[in-house]
Amino acid sequence: MVAVMKTDMGEVDNGTMRPKVVDAKGILRQNREFLDYFWDIAKPEREIRLKAVESLIEYLKKSEKSDELKYSLKRLVDSLSHTREDARSGFSLALAQLLSVFEEISLKSALDSIKGKYNLQTPNKKAIRIAVFGNFFGVLALSQSTRLHKEPEVLLECVHILQSLSQYREYLKDLPRKTMVDILSETSKEVFEEVLFNALKSDLTSALNTPEQLELLLVAIQKFPSVLKPKKLKKLLGTTTVITDESLPKLVGVLKTAARSVKKDAVLPPVALDLLQASLREESFEMFWNEAIIKGMMSEMPGHTHYLSFRLLGAALPLLSVSQIEFVLTGDVMRHYGEHVLSAQLPDRFKFSPEMDKYISEFLQVCADADRQLAVVLGFTQLTNQGYPVVPSFWKVLEHMVLPAQQKYVEWLQEAFCDPQLDKCLDFTTRRQLFEREAKVENESCVARFRTWIIQRLAFIAENHQIKKDEDLIMNVARFIFFHAFFDVKKSTSEIPETTRALALPIDKQTRATMASAFYSILQSLNMMPVLGDLSETESLNSRRIVGFKADGSMWIYCLVQYAATLLDQSKYAQIVQAFSPEQRQAWDSMLESVEDLRKKAKKSSSPEHTAFQNLFLLIGIQMFKSPEESLDLLKDLRSCMERAQAKKSKKKKAANGKSSEEEPHWVEVIVEILLSLLSQPSRLIRNVCKVVFTRICPHLTQGGLNSILNVLDPNKDEEESGVMVTDEKEKKKHKVAEDEDEEEGDEDEEDDEEGSDSSDDDEDDDDEAMDDGEDVDQNFRLDLMKVLQGQNALVKEEDGSDEEEMDDAAMMQLDGSLSALFLEQKKKIQAKKDEKDRLRKEKVLVRDFKIKVLDMVEVFLLKQGSSPLVLSMVDPLLSVIETGMSSETSQQEQDYLRKAANIFKNQLCRGKYYCREIDGREAELHEMLERLIGRAQKLSDSSVSLYYFSAALYVVKVLRGVVNEQESTSSEANMGKLDVARVTSCFRDALTSSMTRRKTPLTGAMFIDLFTRFPVLCVNLLDTAVENITGGLREHQQGQACAMVLKAVQSKDVKNLMSDKQWAELYEKIVRQLIKTFENVPSKNKTVHEKMVKAMELCQFIVKSVKNTRMPVKLELLQDVLKTMNDDESLQKPGQLEDIYWSVMKFFGVVKPKMKKVKKVVEVEQTEKTTKKKKGFLPETKKRKNRMKSTVLEGKETSTTAETPEGTSGKKKKKNKKRKRQGEETQAQTPAKKAKQQPKKKKQKGGDKQ
């Protein structure tokens, strides 16, 4: 493992066989851990390498042994040229740390060791590579030791080595020059002036030739400005500065060379950034940018030179002032960047925009100056293509802007929206747009595009929680968007800041629609936004997860409604775009009064009822600007609902209140109806507010309100109520009895708001129906066509002669008119039927989407009120939804609906944390429900649906059992609560017997195993039935399930605690008797029998193990005898699951599995001998063409008989193998039959040509 080296610490005996290590001083034996450090240093994992270096240095510090230190130095120097890059860097780092810690080792001796080990003058190419790596990583270690400046001679020698290594770019690329730059940056002024300047003079003089030499000069100027004064630069370069008119062409060439060198790495060359910093120091930045970058680099075709310019632009941002940033971001580099962003949208194109976003993010994080941040963001915002900014409106870099810059940016966006001065933007047109003649775009279109982008950017700033902002900024954005979406300015006033900005151009309808959508999106975000402000003020509020409120306790939506009311009242300053009718305005004022009343009542005594009504009033009120007529009806219903709720509270103490409450619906029921009406609208805001409101009214929900929700999910009412739902969702004004034209318009509206996908099964059903209808239509149409032709005497009959005269022109024209009218009518009928089917399909999709939203309410109720008695009324509707969904279509929307319903039923209802515990007086009802569920589970044909019914039955059992006392959970049946154990046991016993004796049953063994696990009392009562079915089951599969159930039962400690020792022993005896019968009568083995035997053997294994371990008085002699007879034919000595369990059982009886003797036949030995004699590179005899069809040696026959075997046998086998490789899954019996079928086909083909 360890290479043996000639050192002072050990002797080497160079023998002819293997070197013998003589560890005279016992160092190797003393601590093997010391040698393991070097192996860890060479490992590819970086963490392991670093830890090994640290451990090695600590070990050497504690050891204080010179031999180990010398060995370490020698070992590290010899490993510098390791074949792997990770190992080379690891050993170089270890050597650097060693030299840094142990200063008694001189750098001169270390450098001599490196030069002695690695000679660059060797002529061998492989040795050259080793020497290059050894010298470089050795010098790198010396430079990283932080001691190089203390020994100038070694420093100078290292620089000379690095200069000589610069020619080996195929191995090191530009690493020597980078190391030289690092050495310069750590060198003192005196050492540079006295030692290095003369050594580097040749490189500094030719600095304008290569990027490495130029970078060396720039670093030296930056590090030692007092040494490289203008006079010395004049001697070196001929000019007092680096950037001059004469040097710019050479600098451009150097930059292009640097761009080509990093083409694959996609990074910014350091020389480019150093050159830009030099231009800033020499106050020639504008000249450098215009001449070197724009005229030099950007004059090339798009490629690596452009990307270098883009990277230089991004990296230069932290170094520039505000005026320089504006100068850079308004030039040709930005224009080319915009063209690249547009062209990179095509697939398989390199995209530079993520890299630029990273540069901007780093700049915004480093720079805290608001003016510079604003200049950068505005520069990229004003880069437009035909009015539309290139950067996306959803720009994550804005998260790093400081709040003052964010406020100024929002003000600029609002000013640009009102007065879009596109001439100040850096607008461009791509070559493709010029080619397609799209350059001439009207100014109004550009303004609309620009305004749309601004609205999206403002909405992003308001909605993104990561962006730094305060409440005033959010309200400013929301008010601005709301005002220009629904109002126009009539006269400016200071009371409404939005009127102080005049619009240069009017806002078009499409932009207003975009603004309305953006406003409601902001409202949705505000409704879910936590409280903003100082941590000390908002910590208590946020700890309660209060969302949708400001720091002062008012709701965001309330503030916006108040702002809207102000605008409506100030009609001389602001005019609404779509004016309210008197009735709508009255409803608006009434809504405001109701909200104020609710706020006053909430201050006196907070109630979920008040908050729910307030949320609904505000939500429906703000919706009036979008759909006033629909909101009007909802406000009326909500108003009447609130009045009834208040009247009920005021008359609660009166005796006559009972009659009135029975006549009118409860206020919660009316709210539920309103929520259902709102959910039919395709709005995330409405859906979220409905969810919040329903969460708050859940504790007050009545059976009637819950029935309203469950009636929506009832699959039996789809056909009756789907049309009503659709009209409620989309068109309150239109009814089901409207004309066809109105229906088609409604379908168009529905198609715009549709959120579902088409159903594949629906399409198939529609196609089938279309075919059926088509047959009827074709038949009727055929009759009508025959009537027309007969009426015009144009139908040719059999008795007509062929010499009959043709029709005249008038008759032909009349026939053409009749035919065209007939075909036109037929076309209208087909289109009408097609439209009707399309309408019904869209209605079905809308209804299904509506039901998915209603399931959210069911889930909320189960989460918040899982212990309510109302939960029991959800069992049957949810099961009906699951059962209908399992047997219906398989569209994606239907699958989502079914998956959501099944998930709610399984996780939130059956296995929820809380369940119903108040069942006083409902015991009989629940027992009947349990029997009904079990009966339905037995009658179903689908086992997956039956599982849900069985789970519901177990939930009912849990409800009847109630809370379980942990100390007496399994002590007796008395702890089963209000459960009638005998009745329930009889019900489950019938189900278990049915599942074991019926040929086709949906009940599975896993269902009863779940029952046994969760309810041990019922398990004890059903154990006898399960044991009897070990042999009494109808089929082997059912008998195997009985074995699995019994095994699960006897493994349960709770079941054992419920039975006495005598009962437990009797149970074991019954099981043993059943197992004896099972093992005695083993039918012909197949897959089902094998699975049954495996489960029976697992049960037998547990029974025998328990009896042996607990010394239970159970006789096992007969079982042992039966088990022994099972292996009379030695069929259980092969490896397999059943065989392994069998021998583990027999091991308890002292019988060990006999070892199988491997018998090798003579023929096989001969074959192996032949195969061993084969030579590499030669074909075996059987593969040669002349012997290909000869058969191979068969087992059990002599070699003389094998030659007489027909050739067809081996040929068939080989062909079968080839066919199996091609087709993969064909059996041996099928292949010859297929081959036999193929041969006659070839003969027929040959014979067919002759015929």
Side-chain angles (χ1 to χ4, degrees), residues 85-131:
E85 182 180 357
D86 295 334
R88 291 195 293 268
S89 61
F91 286 114
S92 176
L93 177 62
L95 180 59
Q97 294 296 319
L98 184 71
L99 295 175
S100 176
V101 173
F102 299 97
E103 295 188 0
E104 59 267 22
I105 303 176
S106 65
L107 297 185
K108 178 65 175 175
S109 62
L111 183 61
D112 293 339
S113 300
I114 294 171
K115 293 171 63 177
K117 176 67 178 177
Y118 306 105
N119 185 14
L120 288 173
Q121 305 300 325
T122 179
N124 190 354
K125 186 175 181 181
K126 185 176 181 180
I128 279 289
R129 180 179 181 277
I130 296 174

Side-chain angles (χ1 to χ4, degrees), residues 986-1038:
S986 176
C987 180
F988 279 110
R989 181 179 289 112
D990 295 340
L992 178 58
T993 305
S994 174
S995 66
M996 291 292 146
T997 55
R998 285 176 54 188
R999 194 162 191 81
K1000 291 184 179 179
T1001 174
L1003 302 179
T1004 62
M1007 300 179 187
F1008 290 97
I1009 289 176
D1010 191 16
L1011 170 65
F1012 288 1
T1013 305
R1014 296 172 62 182
F1015 305 104
V1017 174
L1018 298 178
C1019 174
V1020 171
N1021 297 338
L1022 296 174
L1023 254 180
D1024 291 338
T1025 306
V1027 172
E1028 292 173 359
N1029 284 288
I1030 292 178
T1031 56
L1034 183 62
R1035 294 182 299 176
E1036 285 77 9
H1037 172 67
Q1038 291 159 325

Side-chain angles (χ1 to χ4, degrees), residues 175-360:
L175 289 176
R177 296 291 178 181
K178 289 183 178 180
T179 307
M180 203 179 304
V181 171
D182 294 339
I183 292 175
L184 279 182
S185 61
E186 297 176 0
T187 304
S188 62
K189 171 188 172 184
E190 294 76 11
V191 173
F192 174 76
E193 187 173 9
E194 296 174 1
V195 179
L196 294 182
F197 181 73
N198 293 328
L200 299 175
K201 193 170 184 179
S202 59
D203 290 332
L204 298 178
T205 304
S206 57
L208 300 181
N209 295 334
T210 63
E212 293 81 8
Q213 293 172 332
L214 178 60
E215 184 181 2
L216 192 64
L217 173 64
L218 294 175
V219 171
I221 294 175
Q222 183 179 1
K223 181 68 176 175
F224 313 107
S226 59
V227 178
L228 294 174
K229 295 181 179 179
K231 292 183 179 179
K232 286 193 176 181
L233 286 178
K234 181 72 173 177
K235 295 180 180 178
L236 294 174
L237 304 178
T239 57
T240 56
T241 58
V242 177
I243 300 173
T244 60
D245 293 335
E246 296 80 10
S247 63
L248 277 174
K250 293 184 177 180
L251 293 177
V252 172
V254 171
L255 289 177
K256 290 181 180 179
T257 303
R260 287 191 295 268
S261 64
V262 297
K263 182 179 180 180
K264 294 182 180 179
D265 300 332
V267 294
L268 177 66
V271 64
L273 188 59
D274 293 340
L275 197 57
L276 184 138
Q277 291 175 342
S279 68
L280 292 174
R281 289 195 304 270
E282 296 174 359
E283 297 182 355
S284 58
F285 171 72
E286 293 187 3
M287 180 180 69
F288 167 75
W289 194 261
N290 285 327
E291 300 298 329
I293 304 301
I294 296 178
K295 295 182 180 179
M297 302 294 288
M298 302 306 294
S299 61
E300 299 286 332
M301 292 296 293
H304 48 272
T305 56
H306 285 211
Y307 298 145
L308 184 144
S309 303
F310 299 156
R311 293 187 179 98
L312 187 60
L313 169 64
L317 293 177
L319 307 174
L320 305 179
S321 63
V322 175
S323 59
Q324 291 172 339
I325 290 174
E326 293 175 351
F327 166 73
V328 168
L329 297 182
T330 55
D332 288 342
V333 177
M334 282 292 290
R335 183 177 286 108
H336 284 287
Y337 173 72
E339 293 177 357
H340 162 76
V341 172
L342 288 188
S343 62
Q345 294 177 356
L346 299 174
D348 301 329
R349 293 286 185 92
F350 171 71
K351 296 176 176 58
F352 188 81
S353 54
E355 196 171 341
M356 182 62 77
D357 291 347
K358 187 177 179 181
Y359 278 118
I360 299 173

Side-chain angles (χ1 to χ4, degrees), residues 828-892:
K828 289 182 179 179
K829 290 181 180 179
I830 295 175
Q831 185 64 33
K833 287 193 174 185
K834 188 177 180 181
D835 294 342
E836 179 68 15
K837 291 177 182 178
D838 197 24
R839 184 183 65 81
L840 293 176
R841 181 185 57 81
K842 291 178 181 178
E843 286 183 359
K844 192 173 184 179
V845 170
L846 289 171
V847 170
R848 185 66 66 230
D849 182 66
F850 173 59
K851 289 187 176 184
I852 291 175
K853 296 177 184 177
V854 174
L855 279 177
D856 291 340
M857 301 175 70
V858 176
E859 186 175 12
V860 168
F861 184 78
L862 289 173
L863 287 173
K864 300 296 182 181
Q865 299 292 321
S867 58
S868 172
L870 297 177
V871 173
L872 296 173
S873 60
M874 290 185 173
V875 175
D876 289 330
L878 288 176
L879 285 174
S880 180
V881 170
I882 294 171
E883 183 178 357
T884 307
M886 287 286 194
S887 58
S888 62
E889 59 193 27
T890 58
S891 65
Q892 184 61 42

Side-chain angles (χ1 to χ4, degrees), residues 521-536:
S521 177
I522 292 175
L523 198 57
Q524 155 72 10
S525 177
L526 294 179
N527 196 44
M528 299 300 296
M529 182 180 292
V531 180
L532 300 177
D534 296 335
L535 183 63
S536 58

Side-chain angles (χ1 to χ4, degrees), residues 1114-1144:
V1114 178
K1115 297 179 180 181
L1116 301 177
E1117 290 78 7
L1118 292 177
L1119 180 61
Q1120 179 180 356
D1121 296 337
V1122 173
L1123 290 173
K1124 286 182 179 180
T1125 57
M1126 290 179 64
N1127 193 35
D1128 289 343
D1129 56 352
E1130 298 183 356
S1131 61
L1132 294 175
Q1133 294 186 8
K1134 299 178 181 178
Q1137 183 183 8
L1138 176 62
E1139 291 77 5
D1140 294 341
I1141 301 174
Y1142 171 81
W1143 289 110
S1144 64

